Structures are given as C-alpha cells and as structure tokens.
Amino acid sequence: MKIISQNTAFGGMQGVFSHESDACKCEMTFAVFVPPQAIEEPRPVLWYLSGLTCTHANVMEKGEYRRLAAELGLIIVCPDVSPRGNDVPDELTNWQMGKGAGFYLDATEKPWAENYQMYTYITQELPKLISEQFRVDMARQGIFGHSMGGHGAMTIALKSPDRFKSCSAFAPIVEPSTADWSAPAYEKYLGADKAQWRQYDACALVADGARFPEFLIDQGKADGFLENGLRPWLFEEAVKGTDIALTLRMHERYDHSYYFISTFMDDHLRWHAERLG
C-alpha cells in the first residue's frame, strides 16, 4: 500500500492510498478517514460508494463528513468507482460505461471481464487490506453511497446481511436493469441474459428473496435523473409485504449534486452510528 497523502482534520487523519489490485488487475486508489478515537481502540467502519464519473476524491472533497465522523468515531472508506489505467478498456465518449462507471459488479463479458471486477474488489479485496492496515472493528460495518454508488451499497447489503449492520443511500439507482443510463452498460458487462443482471439490481434481489433489515434513502425532487434513472418508488413498491423497513425521504428543490449530499450527510452518519453501536 502506497501513501499518496495524509492530512490532519478534526483530530483525525484523512489519507489517500493506492495499491495493486489482484481483482481489477491495475493500481487502485482509495481514501480513508480515521477518527481520533482509533488511536485507542478499533472503530466501526463505514463504506461510501460514489457515483458515475466520480473517483475517491468527490466525497472526500465535497461530502463534508469529517467533522461528525470524528465526533462519532467512524472510519470512512471511500474507494474508487472503477479500474483505471492505460490498459483498462474504456468507452471514451460514453460516461455511462467503462472508467468511472464500474457499477460495482463483476463483469463476465470481453473485454470488460479482465479488469471490471468491482464487486469482488469492494466486498473481498479492499476489506482485507483495510482490516490489515487500519484499526477497524470489522464486526461493525455499514455501507452507503450516491447514485450508482447507492445502487452498489444497497445490492451489496442485500447480498451480505450478515456482514453489514446498516445501509443508506443518496439518490440510488434502485432498478438499474431497466434504467436508461445503466441497462446498456449491464448488457455490455454481463451479456444479453437479463437473468444474470438480477444479482446486481436491488429491486430484483428483493423479489428473489434477499433481505436486509432497513434502508434510509434521501432523494431530491429536483433531481434531473429522477424519472428515468433513479425511481425510488420502485424500491418502495418492491419492499411492500416484506420485513424490510424503508425510510424514503423526498426533498423539494434538491438536485443530484454534492450540495444535496452534504446537506444530509450528518443524518446518514448518525443513522449508521446508531446501528453500529
């Protein structure tokens, strides 16, 4: 693991690191905020997954999480959203595919399958590295994210309910297999058999029996992607009749930006802290 930068903030440490990924077969960069309490004891870890076109840096620079994370004693891990590098396949004119658009799945189709193994990276490889290098309590993990990252957080939580104690999302893509900005990527990454897409689709996972105790979703009503890409009402409908508790908050005038995310970041951190103990 290489140290790219380390800065003191609110008594803790905001770091940026990189390492050679076996899953993605390239160098991957990630950010970690370590609160001051970690000097004395292992602390809960909260994974934040970013959205399309982002890197680890977007939430680190705009998310405004450090003050309250330091107060609550939460370690925040912010991975990149896709593999990177000159040898990694990409579609240069398509922001919804390739670099910056990994969708937190394991691709099965060429040429993507060689590098785009983000599900394995997020759920196996990076957690192992974090547990070895930082003072984290891996028995207390939560996960959240924005847009494509909200999709990733929800699907990963639904598939790993024994690992995560909490999950929330800002403006998630709840049914990516039918959304305009994700279905074409799913076909390229996973092939034409839509049955294979269901394992990376929150609504489909619930329909197929996956369960997680509760979700918090915040969504702006002025979000330009709301009608065609995000559609949180589909997840609201999916969990009806199940034992999944959903808190869906729709906010007037808020859009898809980090102005929206930073406004409700404290709410999400407190939500997770209550459940992580």
Side-chain angles (χ1 to χ4, degrees):
M1 188 179 76
K2 300 176 185 177
I3 299 173
I4 296 175
S5 65
Q6 289 181 309
N7 299 94
T8 300
F10 298 98
M13 184 276 296
Q14 176 65 68
V16 178
F17 310 90
S18 69
H19 72 116
E20 289 296 327
S21 167
D22 291 332
C24 297
K25 295 181 174 57
C26 65
E27 186 174 58
M28 295 292 287
T29 303
F30 61 96
V32 181
F33 176 73
V34 180
Q37 297 91 331
I39 296 172
E40 302 293 336
E41 62 179 358
R43 299 304 303 169
V45 58
L46 187 53
W47 300 82
Y48 179 90
L49 307 184
S50 289
L52 285 161
T53 74
C54 291
T55 70
H56 68 281
N58 295 72
V59 69
M60 185 181 76
E61 296 171 352
K62 303 175 185 178
E64 301 182 23
Y65 58 78
R66 277 174 288 271
R67 177 193 55 80
L68 189 57
E71 178 183 320
L72 298 172
L74 296 172
I75 292 174
I76 312 291
V77 180
C78 309
D80 201 350
V81 305
S82 75
R84 307 280 179 178
N86 294 334
D87 297 328
V88 173
D90 193 18
E91 290 189 2
L92 295 177
T93 60
N94 183 3
W95 61 276
Q96 299 167 336
M97 186 70 197
K99 295 176 189 176
F103 282 98
Y104 302 101
L105 52 75
D106 282 350
T108 57
E109 302 299 300
K110 293 181 179 179
W112 314 102
E114 178 72 10
N115 302 98
Y116 286 79
Q117 302 293 309
M118 288 301 296
Y119 181 81
T120 294
Y121 178 71
I122 295 295
T123 62
Q124 298 180 31
E125 185 176 15
L126 188 56
K128 183 176 184 295
L129 181 65
I130 294 296
S131 68
E132 293 170 349
Q133 298 291 335
F134 299 90
R135 191 170 290 176
V136 295
D137 182 352
M138 298 298 279
R140 293 188 288 168
Q141 296 186 66
I143 190 167
F144 67 149
H146 171 231
S147 193
M148 178 183 73
H151 135 74
M154 293 172 68
T155 55
I156 289 171
L158 283 163
K159 294 167 74 171
S160 305
D162 295 334
R163 173 182 167 190
F164 295 101
K165 295 184 178 297
S166 58
C167 180
S168 70
F170 303 98
I173 309 171
V174 301
E175 194 175 86
S177 62
T178 64
D180 289 351
W181 62 355
S182 48
Y186 269 45
E187 183 165 3
K188 293 174 184 177
Y189 284 137
L190 301 170
D193 182 4
K194 293 185 178 181
Q196 300 303 315
W197 303 8
R198 298 181 68 82
Q199 61 185 308
Y200 303 112
D201 183 303
C203 289
L205 283 168
V206 171
D208 292 344
R211 294 293 181 265
F212 195 78
E214 58 181 336
F215 294 92
L216 167 64
I217 295 176
D218 276 312
Q219 173 66 60
K221 288 187 176 182
D223 191 322
F225 302 110
L226 179 58
E227 295 293 332
N228 295 324
L230 306 172
R231 306 170 298 165
W233 48 85
L234 296 180
F235 192 70
E236 188 175 37
E237 186 65 29
V239 302
K240 285 182 178 178
T242 74
D243 56 357
I244 299 173
L246 171 63
T247 301
L248 172 59
R249 307 191 303 185
M250 303 292 295
H251 301 280
E252 298 286 351
R253 303 190 308 278
Y254 283 94
D255 58 19
H256 200 67
S257 71
Y258 268 89
Y259 296 108
F260 158 64
I261 296 169
S262 62
T263 299
F264 299 102
M265 178 62 75
D266 280 10
D267 290 355
H268 285 245
L269 294 182
R270 293 190 189 281
W271 163 278
H272 288 279
E274 289 173 0
R275 287 150 183 80
L276 297 177

